Amino acid sequence: MLPPTPARSAQQLFRRLLALPPPLRQRTFSILNRPPPNYSGHVPLTITERAGLAVGSAFGSLSNPYRHDLIAALGEATSKPYFITRLRHAMLKDPTGRRILSDKPRISSQTMKLEDLRKMPENSVGRAYAAWLDREGVTPDTRDQVRYIDDPEEAYVMQRYRETHDFTHAITGLPVIIEGELAIKAFEFANTVLPMTALSLFAIVRLKSEERKRFFEVYAPWAVANGLKAEEVVNVYWEEELETDVDVLRTRLGISKPPDLREIRKVLREERRAEREARRAREDLGAAGGV
Amino acid sequence: MASAVPRAAKRLRLTNTPGYVCTDCRRAFAASTQPRLQQQPPPQPPPSQHVGQTAKTTHFGFETVAEELKASKVRTVFSSVASSYDTMNDLMSLGIHRLWKDHFVRSLNPGIRPTPPPPRPPPPPPQSQRILDIAGGTGDIAFRLLDHATTTNRDPHTSVLISDINPQMLAEGRKRCLSTPYHATNRVSFLEANAEDLSAIESSSIDLYTVAFGIRNFTHKATALREAYRVLKPGGVFACLEFTPNLANPVLNALYKRWSFGAIPLIGQLVAGDRESYQYLVESIEKFPSQREFAAMVRETGFLVPGDAEGGGWEDLSMGIAAVHKGVKPV
């Protein structure tokens, strides 16, 4: 063995650095010479761009929570390096997850026909999904395409998570109002550990104090407890579970249904209205009596 | 039916074609009966499907598309940015575009300053300048021209014909016209036309032809220049304000390029939710000929351009980020 000269040890170090897996190597492209896209719609971003996108979309979606394209971009910008890989591995560990990854089904208004879903048996997942869509007045519309995740399979995992979000709404019954969305995000954080779900909880500052109190007392504990003990919701092959009974699916996954948020709000609204009318009636009576 | 009319206002619909735009707050309200699609990139047929072996292609940004498709793709880009056009310009040039446009108009000095009538012969009939503003849908340049003519040169007869390929931009221009003092006069008119085919305008009828930040989107710039030559009167002026592909200073140019290709599409995504349109816009700037090449094109069309092949035929603005090209149709 030749004695290690400085040139040889530098060469060995260089070789060992190059042998590191790609995520740990320094990114080799710049804004002006991006590599070709890995899938249709893919936009490779440099680290600075991704950081800018993360920060910008975080503040943008906080100031305007209806910009769900920014929430989507936030999810994609913050999912690497570790979190989306972990989610993909969670899918690979499960036999159904592996089937989903090999079939790569997509959910849209074409693949989920509402007329067929409404005809499904009572209390089935498909029926509950259609009923929830009708109640909230939304459609399984085409969600934003994933653009900023480099690996095509991880991009599919993120797309699948996005498209099955409405199913999570349907089996928990939580509505699309901000309170309901935050409860779902808390549940998803405990379940999928995607950073975007945790970051969107900053929107708690936009809730009214009564809603915030309700969130911390009721829905956050429910979300954390259920998210942690439940199976990975991303591993559910929803297209095959449409005729399953919702309660059976919930038991299988280990999720309990949270209190119906719309009902609670409706009851409180009516109590407040009754109180207001009673007060007004008393005042009128007082005025009429000449007090 | 939920699928035909997605109702939930809670789900954002970034519409491509706003049904109505409130001019005070610039918020777009889509017609409630229109089925609205989620934000989708403009439809892009892959070139291989539509372009035969012998079909002519051109560039759409860095993409290669069939020539006949470019105009409609440009139209789609501007439909989606029409309502936030000002925001887009402010972001791309950090607000400096207003200074450029002001300088452009001031240096053109439109309007005929009235002179006192000669004492004995009868006063000549009032002359009126006719200006054609191409790709000027939202009226940025047109209203500046009229303001300058009316206020600085005290000429109430100058008129502007605003032409644009995109009806949404023209609609935006019409709305903005309502808040100017010209809406009740006949000094502003609108024409939806492709700059390469101005057959609706008769030859030798225009005194001043302006195009600001539009010519880089034309499929055939030479054809547009020839049309400009045709519609201008002898002695008429052609003026073009446009971004340049490269700055003079190489260090600044390197920074400028990284800003253009990195920050601008990102800002477009964050502010307007439309990365693709902004990506197209910076790519189209990159593909535009240099000041020297473009001055040569203007000269070849027949215009008299000051300076020579070495330089002097254009004016750089802001260290070369934009340039003003002018030419005069020979008498």
Side-chain angles (χ1 to χ4, degrees):
Chain A
M1 255 299 271
L2 290 165
T5 62
R8 198 152 311 152
S9 56
Q11 215 179 33
Q12 282 179 337
L13 175 65
F14 190 60
R15 211 171 289 142
R16 255 190 247 131
L17 280 177
L18 279 182
L20 286 172
L24 292 176
R25 276 181 5 227
Q26 186 63 321
R27 194 174 286 276
T28 52
F29 66 87
S30 77
I31 289 177
L32 297 181
N33 59 339
R34 287 187 213 271
N38 292 338
Y39 52 88
S40 127
H42 177 215
V43 178
L45 293 182
T46 61
I47 296 177
T48 326
E49 282 181 308
R50 214 144 46 84
L53 183 64
V55 170
S57 53
F59 286 106
S61 51
L62 185 59
S63 63
N64 185 355
Y66 300 137
R67 285 288 302 274
H68 62 56
D69 63 310
L70 286 184
I71 299 175
L74 178 65
E76 293 168 36
T78 53
S79 60
K80 294 285 285 178
Y82 163 70
F83 299 98
I84 194 74
T85 317
R86 186 213 78 88
L87 194 60
R88 176 171 163 260
H89 288 163
M91 288 185 83
L92 287 172
K93 281 188 211 146
D94 180 80
T96 323
R98 284 197 289 272
R99 267 193 311 123
I100 298 175
L101 279 179
S102 85
D103 295 342
K104 293 202 168 60
R106 299 293 302 270
I107 296 180
S108 69
S109 8
Q110 275 80 45
T111 56
M112 288 275 161
K113 294 272 196 268
L114 283 179
E115 305 87 58
D116 304 333
L117 291 176
R118 283 192 200 107
K119 295 195 195 87
M120 295 216 161
E122 186 72 45
N123 212 37
S124 65
V125 169
R127 183 80 169 264
Y129 178 57
W132 182 85
L133 290 174
D134 291 333
R135 189 185 189 196
E136 303 296 329
V138 297
T139 66
D141 42 24
T142 322
R143 292 269 180 177
D144 296 308
Q145 302 287 326
V146 169
R147 278 185 295 186
Y148 304 117
I149 296 182
D150 295 331
D151 182 54
E153 201 159 74
E154 288 177 357
Y156 173 73
V157 172
M158 181 57 101
Q159 190 77 45
R160 178 78 183 165
Y161 154 74
R162 215 176 270 170
E163 289 173 355
T164 55
H165 174 83
D166 280 347
F167 275 101
T168 319
H169 268 287
I171 62 167
T172 55
L174 289 164
V176 278
I177 53 183
I178 293 187
E179 237 192 299
E181 292 286 355
L182 288 179
I184 287 265
K185 283 283 183 273
F187 171 81
E188 285 178 342
F189 179 56
N191 198 261
T192 65
V193 202
L194 286 173
M196 172 266 285
T197 50
L199 289 171
S200 28
L201 293 178
F202 276 98
I204 289 175
V205 302
R206 300 188 67 95
L207 291 176
K208 305 196 186 83
S209 57
E210 177 200 276
E211 295 172 342
R212 216 176 304 147
K213 189 157 147 300
R214 196 164 44 228
F215 178 80
F216 283 120
E217 281 177 8
V218 179
Y219 290 100
W222 166 82
V224 171
N226 280 273
L228 288 176
K229 77 169 153 69
E231 302 286 323
E232 297 268 2
V233 173
V234 75
N235 281 335
V236 177
Y237 207 137
W238 294 102
E239 288 84 350
E240 293 174 357
E241 302 280 3
L242 289 174
E243 308 212 354
T244 325
D245 189 77
V246 182
D247 300 308
V248 165
L249 181 65
R250 274 201 284 258
T251 325
R252 198 188 333 142
L253 289 176
I255 304 175
S256 60
K257 196 162 181 192
D260 189 333
L261 186 54
R262 281 215 189 269
E263 277 308 307
I264 294 177
R265 286 166 67 102
K266 193 164 87 159
V267 163
L268 286 173
R269 239 197 329 267
E270 280 172 6
E271 273 178 15
R272 241 176 279 138
R273 194 180 318 134
E275 220 175 294
R276 231 182 305 142
E277 309 225 313
R279 206 184 326 131
R280 206 172 298 141
R282 255 181 286 129
E283 281 173 5
D284 289 343
L285 213 55
V291 172
Chain B
M1 263 258 293
S3 56
V5 184
R7 168 176 73 76
K10 301 293 195 285
R11 297 273 173 99
L12 174 76
R13 301 283 186 267
L14 289 167
T15 59
N16 282 339
T17 54
Y20 160 72
V21 176
C22 169
T23 47
D24 293 320
C25 57
R26 298 268 171 66
R27 213 182 297 167
F29 301 91
S32 56
T33 51
Q34 244 180 348
R36 285 173 282 168
L37 299 173
Q38 274 255 11
Q39 177 69 18
Q40 286 186 359
Q44 294 182 11
S48 56
Q49 280 184 7
H50 288 247
V51 176
Q53 288 293 83
T54 52
K56 304 224 332 256
T57 60
T58 179
H59 59 83
F60 178 72
F62 288 164
E63 238 185 280
T64 307
V65 299
E67 278 190 347
E68 51 278 4
L69 290 177
K70 176 162 176 175
S72 62
K73 286 168 89 79
V74 167
R75 199 181 289 123
T76 313
V77 164
F78 282 92
S79 290
S80 79
V81 302
S83 57
S84 56
Y85 186 63
D86 282 342
T87 320
M88 187 196 87
N89 280 336
D90 281 331
L91 290 172
M92 285 185 73
S93 63
L94 301 176
I96 303 173
H97 69 106
R98 296 163 205 272
L99 298 176
W100 292 335
K101 287 173 182 164
D102 288 341
H103 173 81
F104 182 59
V105 167
R106 222 176 287 132
S107 69
L108 288 170
N109 199 17
I112 302 169
R113 192 169 274 263
T115 51
R120 215 161 297 137
Q127 308 164 68
S128 68
Q129 257 186 6
R130 187 140 178 72
I131 305 176
L132 171 63
D133 183 30
I134 290 284
T138 55
D140 271 354
I141 294 292
F143 301 136
R144 276 179 168 85
L145 289 164
L146 284 172
D147 285 341
H148 184 98
T150 315
T151 317
T152 309
N153 285 329
R154 280 176 277 122
D155 175 358
H157 305 293
T158 316
S159 65
V160 179
L161 170 60
I162 302 178
S163 166
D164 201 295
I165 198 176
N166 184 293
Q168 272 87 18
M169 294 292 272
L170 282 175
E172 187 71 29
R174 272 183 239 263
K175 288 191 183 87
R176 292 193 193 181
C177 185
L178 295 175
S179 52
T180 65
Y182 312 112
H183 68 273
T185 68
N186 59 350
R187 295 174 73 184
V188 181
S189 37
F190 295 87
L191 171 70
E192 184 181 329
N194 188 331
E196 298 167 27
D197 176 23
L198 297 174
S199 39
I201 303 175
E202 52 177 271
S203 310
S204 300
S205 61
I206 301 288
D207 291 292
L208 172 61
Y209 176 113
T210 58
V211 52
F213 302 119
I215 200 160
R216 71 176 188 274
N217 300 307
F218 297 171
T219 315
H220 300 108
K221 292 178 263 296
T223 318
L225 288 172
R226 280 196 292 277
E227 275 295 271
Y229 192 85
R230 179 186 70 81
V231 301
L232 277 170
K233 290 179 190 164
V237 174
F238 164 85
C240 166
L241 171 62
E242 190 53 83
F243 285 109
T244 58
N246 286 301
L247 270 56
N249 182 319
V251 173
L252 288 179
N253 193 33
L255 291 172
Y256 174 65
K257 284 289 157 67
R258 279 164 178 78
W259 165 264
S260 291
F261 285 93
I264 287 183
L266 178 61
I267 295 172
Q269 167 75 45
L270 295 176
V271 172
D274 188 357
R275 193 189 175 93
E276 288 82 16
S277 296
Y278 286 70
Q279 184 71 29
Y280 160 72
L281 289 164
V282 295
E283 289 176 359
S284 64
I285 295 174
E286 185 70 14
K287 286 283 187 176
F288 194 69
S290 69
Q291 290 95 308
R292 179 162 314 182
E293 288 162 359
F294 190 64
M297 283 171 73
V298 176
R299 209 172 272 124
E300 266 163 30
T301 316
F303 290 106
L304 299 172
V305 177
D308 51 20
E310 298 312 307
W314 65 89
E315 182 190 354
D316 278 346
L317 299 177
S318 301
M319 293 172 302
I321 299 180
V324 180
H325 292 263
K326 289 185 192 155
V328 179
K329 178 166 172 177
V331 177

